[in-house]
Amino acid sequence: MVRIRVLVVDDHRIFAESLAAALAAEPDVDVFAAGSGPAALRSLERAATEGRRFDVLLVDADLGAVAGGTVRALPAPRESAEGAPVDGIALVTAVRQAHPGVRPVVLAERDDARRAALALQAGASGWVAKDCSLSRLLTVVRGVLRDETHLPPALLTGVLRELTASRKHRTESERLVESLTPREREVLRCMVAGLGRKAVADRLFLSPHTVRTHMQNVLGKLGVHSTLAAVALARRAGVGPAESAGDVVERGGQLA
């Protein structure tokens, strides 16, 4: 019998324990639990090292919201451009980057087409109500292992609308980013990496005054009024953070 290894990630202890116990009663399911994003990532890494990789991640959409805390130990992403706490959807992003073979499924207390769309964009294979039946959840768990995507039927239209709108916004963001010069794009990537003006100047071998001018030009061309807004737009366009300092030094002469 092929066994399914499931990791439940939820900081509602009673819910997590109850769900884990229910899943463990299935003859083909091995289930483990983690109470936070960092704990989940440690479990995934340890399992991968020991050759016992997990198959499915069941993660609370509102992870970290119980105590109003922010999961700060995740490798990526950190906090959003708007400063919002890293939650279950951000954990999905981190897991898909570090452990692409794991199928994440988001457990939600309420239907939310926008967040469900964000979860799918992050790499989730499903969005399931927390109060769904065990048989429904098992159907989703087994289905995502066949590369199926599971959404509540009532959310489908809203999610498709959100994904279409997101693509439209991304296309516009990409167009704006393409209007930047190569140097301005490099400055933008430094901004995405969270670097301040002095750090950008040091990395790109520029004066702080020149960096300020580049940053002002970036904001103007992107049509935004703050660094946070520029970073949010850049992320929508798929712009990643700047390379390591060593890579930039190596190519320094080509960035002018």
Side-chain angles (χ1 to χ4, degrees):
M1 177 187 298
V2 177
R3 303 192 67 79
I4 304 171
R5 288 174 55 82
V6 177
L7 180 62
V8 176
V9 189
D10 198 311
D11 45 14
H12 295 75
R13 182 176 178 180
I14 295 177
F15 174 84
E17 291 179 349
S18 299
L19 178 58
L23 290 171
E26 295 297 311
D28 62 340
V29 177
D30 292 328
V31 60
F32 303 83
S36 69
L41 289 169
R42 288 194 296 270
S43 295
L44 289 166
E45 188 61 37
R46 185 167 55 250
T49 300
E50 297 172 353
R52 299 181 295 107
R53 292 176 172 81
F54 284 97
D55 301 302
V56 177
L57 180 82
L58 299 179
V59 56
D60 179 18
D62 298 317
L63 188 67
V66 175
T70 299
V71 181
R72 298 187 183 277
L74 297 181
R78 295 182 292 275
E79 290 187 354
S80 71
E82 294 78 13
V86 173
D87 60 5
I89 296 175
L91 177 60
V92 169
T93 300
V95 168
R96 291 296 290 167
Q97 290 176 353
H99 305 277
V102 177
R103 303 294 198 277
V105 174
V106 177
L107 305 176
E109 292 186 355
R110 59 192 179 281
D111 285 346
D112 186 327
R114 179 177 177 276
R115 296 198 72 210
L118 289 174
L120 294 183
Q121 289 176 315
S125 296
W127 176 279
V128 184
K130 275 193 168 185
D131 60 358
C132 74
S133 66
L134 179 61
S135 62
R136 167 61 181 163
L137 183 58
L138 287 168
T139 296
V140 172
V141 166
R142 295 188 171 104
V144 298
L145 292 177
R146 298 190 296 268
D147 292 326
E148 298 173 0
T149 300
H150 285 258
L151 284 171
L155 277 184
L156 185 56
T157 299
V159 167
L160 290 175
R161 185 182 301 116
E162 290 289 339
L163 291 175
T164 300
S166 175
R167 180 57 202 169
K168 179 179 179 181
H169 292 321
R170 181 182 176 91
T171 301
E172 174 63 15
S173 299
E174 290 171 343
R175 184 187 67 77
L176 291 171
V177 169
E178 287 173 358
S179 72
L180 303 178
T181 67
R183 174 65 88 182
E184 289 166 352
R185 283 197 291 272
E186 192 65 34
V187 169
L188 178 60
R189 293 180 64 204
C190 289
M191 294 163 66
V192 172
L195 300 182
R197 186 184 303 163
K198 185 178 185 303
V200 175
D202 291 343
R203 174 169 288 196
L204 300 182
F205 304 102
L206 299 171
S207 71
H209 175 75
T210 300
V211 170
R212 181 173 66 250
T213 299
H214 282 313
M215 286 183 167
Q216 290 173 345
N217 289 341
V218 167
L219 297 184
K221 290 183 178 181
L222 297 184
V224 297
H225 302 287
S226 70
T227 297
L228 290 179
V231 170
L233 186 150
R235 285 178 171 169
R236 286 199 300 272
V239 176
E243 300 166 323
S244 67
D247 292 336
V248 174
V249 169
E250 183 178 344
R251 299 195 306 116
Q254 303 176 19
L255 293 177

